[in-house]
Amino acid sequence: MILMPEVRDMCSVNSCGQYDKNWSCPPACGTLEECRRQVRAYHTGILVQTTGELDDSFDYEAMILLERKHKKNFYDFRAILAEDYPNLLALGAGACTLCKTCTYPDAPCRFPEKSISSMEAYGLLVNQICTDNGMLYYYGPNTLTYTSCYLLK
Ligand code: SF4
């Protein structure tokens, strides 16, 4: 997998509002080189998606419900995979939302073993990774898709 500085740079634009606000996000999640060293240790993985339909592109309620569903399934499946792959690296969609308010930067992360960084935080261009692995990234008008991955060793 190619970790791209351009993707990482998109985090610093802070369109999601989490840059420098969450232990799972840049800059706290480590430099791109540190992320690269981590990712290099893995040679296989699983890509997962949750797709849903929206009434229109302003259907924020459906977007939030879909995000919650994706994250819950992602966490649940991580627990199952961890039984066989205790050293797996899970990279999700969006910042870690395990706590209502992240402790960053005033105190250590409450759940470092559970916290998940996003694929983007690791410089991964999600649509390219989907294409490279024969998966769609976009499923048509009025749909929304969340993509995450587990790297396994
Ligand atoms: S587990 Fe809590 S403290 Fe740690 S990164 Fe997630 S939200 Fe922040």
Side-chain angles (χ1 to χ4, degrees), residues 18 21-22 95-104 110-111:
Q18 292 298 311
K21 295 267 168 49
N22 191 302
C96 175
T97 50
L98 276 177
C99 310
K100 200 170 174 191
T101 307
C102 186
T103 56
Y104 182 84
R110 289 189 188 98
F111 307 108

Side-chain angles (χ1 to χ4, degrees), residues 16-153:
C16 71
Q18 292 298 311
Y19 182 80
D20 208 13
K21 295 267 168 49
N22 191 302
W23 287 113
S24 72
C25 294
C29 66
T31 65
L32 193 60
E33 195 43 47
E34 287 166 340
C35 294
R36 194 171 278 129
R37 274 201 293 274
Q38 261 187 287
V39 166
R40 268 199 202 121
Y42 296 87
H43 300 290
T44 189
I46 300 172
L47 208 47
V48 292
Q49 290 183 321
T50 306
T51 299
E53 291 188 0
L54 310 175
D55 288 341
D56 53 47
S57 50
F58 299 101
D59 189 0
Y60 297 117
E61 194 183 337
M63 290 178 200
I64 288 165
L65 287 175
L66 192 66
E67 182 185 9
R68 281 193 198 139
K69 182 178 174 186
H70 178 76
K71 284 192 166 179
K72 184 184 181 316
N73 289 340
F74 190 63
Y75 277 104
D76 288 352
F77 191 42
R78 179 175 71 164
I80 293 167
L81 282 174
E83 291 172 15
D84 290 328
Y85 300 95
N87 297 315
L88 69 83
L89 175 62
L91 296 174
C96 175
T97 50
L98 276 177
C99 310
K100 200 170 174 191
T101 307
C102 186
T103 56
Y104 182 84
D106 302 317
C109 173
R110 289 189 188 98
F111 307 108
E113 70 295 339
K114 286 187 182 167
S115 168
I116 292 177
S117 292
S118 69
M119 292 178 73
E120 289 88 351
Y122 271 56
L124 298 171
L125 188 60
V126 178
N127 59 354
Q128 186 63 52
I129 287 175
C130 289
T131 304
D132 291 348
N133 289 280
M135 287 175 80
L136 291 177
Y137 173 72
Y138 176 62
Y139 289 82
N142 292 335
T143 68
L144 179 63
T145 300
Y146 288 96
T147 303
S148 300
C149 69
Y150 307 92
L151 302 184
L152 308 175
K153 64 176 175 183

